[in-house]
Structure formats: C-alpha cells, structure tokens
Amino acid sequence: MSVQTDYDVIVVGGGPSGATAAHDLTMQGHKVMLLDKAGRIKPCGGAVPPRLLKDFDIPQSLLVAHANSARIIAPSNNKVSMPCGDGYVGMVDRDQFDEWLRTRAADAGATRVTGTCETVQDGEGGVATLTYRTDRSAEPVTVTARCVIGADGARSRVARQCIPNGENVKCVFAYHEIVKVPEGAAAQQAADYEPDRCDVYYQGHLSPDFYAWVFPHGKTASIGLGSANKGFPLRETTRIMRQEAGFADWETVRKEGAPIPLKPLKRWDNGRNVLVAGDAAGVVAPSSGEGIYYAMCAGRLSANAVGEFLVTGNPKALKGARKAFMKAHGRVFWILGIMQYFWYSSDKRRESFVKMCADPDVQRLTWEAYMNKELVKRDPMAHIRIFLKDTAHLLGLRPAKA
C-alpha cells in the first residue's frame, strides 16, 4: 500500500478478545494501537476452562478460585450436583484478568490509548480513519490504519457503523453484584455457599428465559442473572435472589450490567478494512453464556486473518476469521441454541432439564465438552443414550431419575 498510516492495525476494545488480537498482531511484527475505555468492567461470572490457560498461555496465578463442581437448582428447588471429576472450572475477576491481558499486549509492543471510539470511516486508498476522544470534553483525535478490529462489545460502535446488520445482535441483558464472602465456614454454610462450587438457578421467577448464578471468586462472589426480556427487573430480582439464598447481608463491592450477545453475526468484516471480534461478533455461547474462551479464540483468529490481509493486501482474507471460528465452534453453538430455546421456555421444562442433568452420561460428556471445547467423539454410545433419554423427556414418555 502506498498510503502511509499511523498504525497497521487499530484494535478498539481491550477486553479478552481485543487484548488477545492486539498481542498476537504485535507478536507478528505489526504496529498496533489498542484503544480502550477507562474503568469498564463487564458483568461476568468469570468462568474459564483449563484449555484457555493452555491455549493462551495464561498463568494459574490469575485464577482467584477453582470450582470443583456445579450445582443446578430447579424451580421446585430440587438440586443436582455435577462434580467436575479430574477437571475444574477456573474463576477470574475481570478487572484483574482483562488488565493483565492489556498489559501483556503493551509489553509486546502495542500502543495503549485510553479513549472512546466515535467514528470509523474509509479514507484515501482504502485506509481506515478512526476518531476517538480521551474523555467527553476533549477534542476528537484522528488516527489512521490499514485495518481496524472492533472488539468493543455487544453494542459495538464499530459493528454498527461498518458491518452490514452489525446492529442486529440478539442479546441477553446480564446484571451481577460482586459481594464480599464472609470469613468462617459457619457464615458461608448459613447461606448454603461453598467456595469451590458454582450454583446455577433454572427458575422462572429469577429468569424467564435464561438463568441466575452464584459463582465463587475467592474472597468475593458473583451473584447475578440474565434475561432477553427488556422489561425484566434485573436489579430487583437479584435483590430477591440474594434474600432467598441467604446473601442479603453480604457486603456489596460493585454492581455491573451489560448486554451479552448469544448468536454470532452472519458477517464479521466489511469487505475492505474492518473486522469485528468477541462480543461485537456475537461469540458468546447460547444456553451457558460462556464468553471468555470464545472471545479470545475470536481475537486470535481475527489477528490471523488481519495478519494475512496485511501481508497480501487481499481483503478477502478477513473472512477467514469467521470461517475458522464457525468451523471450530459453530456446531456447539447450534446445539446450545436449541437447548436454550427448548429447555428454558417454561418451569416445567426447566424441571425436566435439571433432572436430566443428574444422568452420569450427561454429566461426563458435559464436562468433557466444556474442558476440551469440542464435542466428544470417543464414546458414540453415550451420545446415543443421551439422545434417547432426551427424546423421552421431550415427549413426556418417562420421568427423569433424580
């Protein structure tokens, strides 16, 4: 390209996806700017699988807790325990975790800038021109790059401006409160809390179409819920949940809310010089709401696609990010989407879903798929057994064993 630019790539958004993309592109030798808002912490349970630490070279020291089991709670208050076996669910605090990722990108050579993106436009010779402000009262700053990666969340300004139908992202609205866990086993047991267990509530009064949760974070815990119903009272319902579960008197550290997308966009690039990743691309798993691992995967695949574009000059390379992501995870997202659509639609179905999760085959394959981030293929008979049991539940032909 003959036109000189300030950067090879500008990454908008410094969450797990954007920070990963900025780090990887910098390690490829490109000049990268990482633009991120100040003081933004996404509401998130903070669960990460062991594979994330391995794939992205994340130190164990960033885990604030290890959950060895999950307990799911039905509308009837029936509780099913799902031990992880030899695995675990790692828990991170997003304020610490995200900042570590941003610092790693900067240490690799990326230029960190604090500010808010306002516009992304095409300039002369296919150059992307971006304006941002360091704060609301500051004058806008204009920078140029050969490519922009929008990793700026579910209501991505980059996606809305640059990607066809980028504003049409189906979302769950999530809200959680970080609370201090009182010291002493007696105080914790009084609230039916265990520091190595994730609790997931499938109860319609807490969420009519998703779920509520209590996730351990070491000295703190995340208590929250989500719903796609815009009129659902998230804060008030969280207060009710805390009261019912015995957490009403636990000190609140902070409160956070944000939309969380549950379906990947059909297109991630503008065909010229812009690509989106992470929540901006819609890569949060339906049913479970898991997003950190998938966001980092999307960030890495976006970095690879942009790296190819920078070398070849062919904008068709940008399509490779979505293609690679959907090849690796599209089937899982499809299955989880069907699960959410059916099982979360009524308390009667939630009750059957929780009972079904007591099945050993369901538990084993669920954890193996979570830990490995792929559908388990080595035990086809287990899949057949689950399919037959699931069909029986759907048709109401047999009661589930608790």
Side-chain angles (χ1 to χ4, degrees), residues 107-318:
D107 289 345
T111 300
R112 281 188 66 175
V113 176
T114 300
T116 302
C117 173
E118 292 199 339
T119 63
V120 180
Q121 297 175 328
D122 272 340
E124 181 184 350
V127 170
T129 301
L130 182 145
T131 62
Y132 70 93
R133 295 179 190 265
T134 54
D135 59 59
R136 291 184 179 180
S137 61
E139 290 295 319
V141 179
T142 300
V143 287
T144 59
R146 294 180 59 187
C147 190
V148 170
I149 295 178
D152 50 335
R155 292 292 185 255
S156 166
R157 186 166 292 186
V158 176
R160 291 201 306 269
Q161 293 183 27
C162 303
I163 308 300
N165 297 312
E167 72 282 0
N168 298 325
V169 181
K170 180 181 179 181
C171 289
V172 160
F173 299 90
Y175 173 81
H176 79 159
E177 298 178 357
I178 298 295
V179 301
K180 284 187 178 180
V181 176
E183 296 183 2
Q188 296 177 22
Q189 290 172 1
D192 193 16
Y193 174 85
E194 293 185 10
D196 59 356
R197 183 188 70 206
C198 296
D199 284 348
V200 183
Y201 293 77
Y202 292 103
Q203 299 180 338
H205 76 288
L206 296 180
S207 174
D209 51 5
F210 203 56
Y211 64 82
W213 68 82
V214 178
F215 286 172
H217 282 195
K219 294 182 179 181
T220 63
S222 165
I223 302 175
L225 51 91
S227 174
N229 185 340
K230 293 183 179 181
F232 191 73
L234 300 176
R235 291 174 179 265
E236 175 62 17
T237 306
T238 302
R239 183 192 66 79
I240 294 171
M241 174 187 171
R242 288 182 62 173
Q243 196 167 35
E244 292 177 350
F247 302 108
D249 297 330
W250 289 22
E251 181 183 347
T252 302
V253 177
R254 65 178 190 265
K255 303 176 181 180
E256 297 152 355
I260 297 177
L262 292 182
K263 188 174 183 180
L265 288 176
K266 292 184 177 180
R267 183 168 176 176
W268 292 8
D269 70 284
N270 69 345
R272 297 182 300 280
N273 50 19
V274 176
L275 180 66
V276 293
D279 280 13
V283 294
V284 178
S287 181
S288 68
E290 182 189 356
I292 299 177
Y293 176 81
Y294 294 115
M296 295 178 74
C297 283
R300 173 152 292 172
L301 293 171
S302 295
N304 292 340
V306 169
E308 182 180 347
F309 164 65
L310 294 174
V311 172
T312 65
N314 186 351
K316 290 183 179 180
L318 300 177

Side-chain angles (χ1 to χ4, degrees), residues 73-80 202-203 343 346-357 400:
I73 303 164
S76 66
N77 217 37
N78 176 45
K79 301 177 178 68
V80 171
Y202 292 103
Q203 299 180 338
W343 291 115
S346 70
D347 271 352
K348 181 179 180 180
R349 290 180 177 179
R350 292 185 191 97
E351 195 74 38
S352 295
F353 175 71
V354 172
K355 289 181 179 179
M356 188 174 66
C357 288

Side-chain angles (χ1 to χ4, degrees), residues 23-39:
H23 172 263
D24 284 11
L25 281 162
T26 303
M27 295 299 292
Q28 292 176 22
H30 302 295
K31 187 178 181 181
V32 178
M33 170 179 158
L34 176 60
L35 177 67
D36 190 55
K37 294 180 180 179

